[in-house]
Amino acid sequence: IRLGNTILINKVAAKIGSEISCNAYTSILCKDYEDFIQLNTSEKINVLTDLTQKTLVVISSYLQLISCLIVSICIYSTLLFYNWVTALLIGIIFFTIYIVLGKYLKKQFVKNSKNYIKKSKKLIKAIREGFGSIRDIHMNNNQYLFRDIHKRIDLPMRNIMSQNKYLSILPKYVIEAFGLAFMALIGCIISLSYQNPSKVIGFLGLFGLGVQKLLPYLQQLFGCWSKIQSFGVFSSIQSTEPGISL
């Protein structure tokens, strides 16, 4: 089922992405000649490749988010049916952690995305200037000067993307730590309430298995949300530039 679901999501996302790319290409071709020649080649290619790809990532993330949300609700409903008090406490703890981290990380994702776009434009400009000055570069033998300029812009961009990846998995480790502590606390409370050790073991086993199955889907939910925040900012900012219409 999971494999079929993944294949279906990718096929739907690919079809939507193809429609977006075709519409973007058509909108450029349908522009007036005066407007068309005002667009440089890099802007046209950016619409059909980079921007379309980022939009496709957002669409795919939305579809995966919906799928993970449905599975998470099913697993959590089972825990509620077995013991709604404990399940409710687990839900409140997980929900609170994700909300608190989400509010903080959303600002960071938006900030990183805006910085990435600014540096990306500077990098394109630097590369264009380097290629345009290739004759002077060889005459003056200053290839490494342009190399250093490229590195000063490119390295911070890579660091931004690396930070976004790290931030997207941060809640996993926070919740694992809180989850283990919470399960240990619940185990102590239950052991004092039940005289039969087998009931305690069965209770902890069921909730331990449930939480173990639930956490990966919650992390996938947060991962999809982080991609939407990051790539959504890319798409929204770049699509508002002159001559770009998806």
Side-chain angles (χ1 to χ4, degrees), residues 6-68:
T6 302
I7 294 174
L8 179 62
I9 288 176
N10 289 330
K11 283 188 175 181
V12 172
K15 186 175 182 179
I16 296 175
S18 177
E19 289 293 329
I20 293 175
S21 179
C22 291
N23 290 338
Y25 184 57
T26 304
S27 67
I28 293 176
L29 294 179
C30 292
K31 286 185 177 298
D32 295 334
Y33 180 75
E34 292 78 8
D35 296 331
F36 182 84
I37 60 177
Q38 291 179 359
L39 295 174
N40 58 44
T41 304
S42 62
E43 287 179 342
K44 300 170 189 174
I45 296 176
N46 177 63
V47 171
L48 298 176
T49 56
D50 188 57
L51 180 56
T52 302
Q53 181 62 31
K54 288 181 172 64
T55 305
L56 179 59
V57 170
V58 174
I59 294 172
S60 178
S61 297
Y62 268 116
L63 294 175
Q64 291 178 359
L65 187 146
I66 294 172
S67 175
C68 292

Side-chain angles (χ1 to χ4, degrees), residues 102-120 156-157 159-164 167 225-234 236-237:
K103 285 186 176 181
Y104 166 74
L105 295 180
K106 180 179 180 180
K107 297 178 181 179
Q108 193 64 37
F109 283 134
V110 172
K111 179 182 177 181
N112 286 350
S113 299
K114 290 181 178 180
N115 289 336
Y116 185 91
I117 292 173
K118 291 179 181 179
K119 294 184 182 300
S120 178
M157 290 175 56
N159 289 335
I160 288 173
M161 298 306 295
S162 176
Q163 186 182 37
N164 279 354
L167 293 176
W225 176 83
S226 64
K227 286 183 180 179
I228 292 170
Q229 296 300 316
S230 300
F231 290 95
V233 172
F234 288 138
S236 62
I237 292 179

Side-chain angles (χ1 to χ4, degrees), residues 91-137:
I92 292 174
I93 291 175
F94 287 0
F95 184 77
T96 302
I97 293 174
Y98 274 111
I99 289 296
V100 172
L101 291 177
K103 285 186 176 181
Y104 166 74
L105 295 180
K106 180 179 180 180
K107 297 178 181 179
Q108 193 64 37
F109 283 134
V110 172
K111 179 182 177 181
N112 286 350
S113 299
K114 290 181 178 180
N115 289 336
Y116 185 91
I117 292 173
K118 291 179 181 179
K119 294 184 182 300
S120 178
K121 292 179 180 179
K122 290 182 180 179
L123 183 62
I124 293 175
K125 181 180 178 181
I127 293 174
R128 188 179 299 163
E129 290 176 353
F131 289 163
S133 307
I134 190 66
R135 179 180 298 179
D136 296 333
I137 290 175

Side-chain angles (χ1 to χ4, degrees), residues 76-93 182 203 207:
Y76 187 67
S77 298
T78 304
L79 297 178
L80 281 173
F81 179 78
Y82 183 77
N83 190 309
W84 68 271
V85 176
T86 306
L88 186 61
L89 289 175
I90 293 176
I92 292 174
I93 291 175
F182 180 74
F203 180 88
F207 270 89

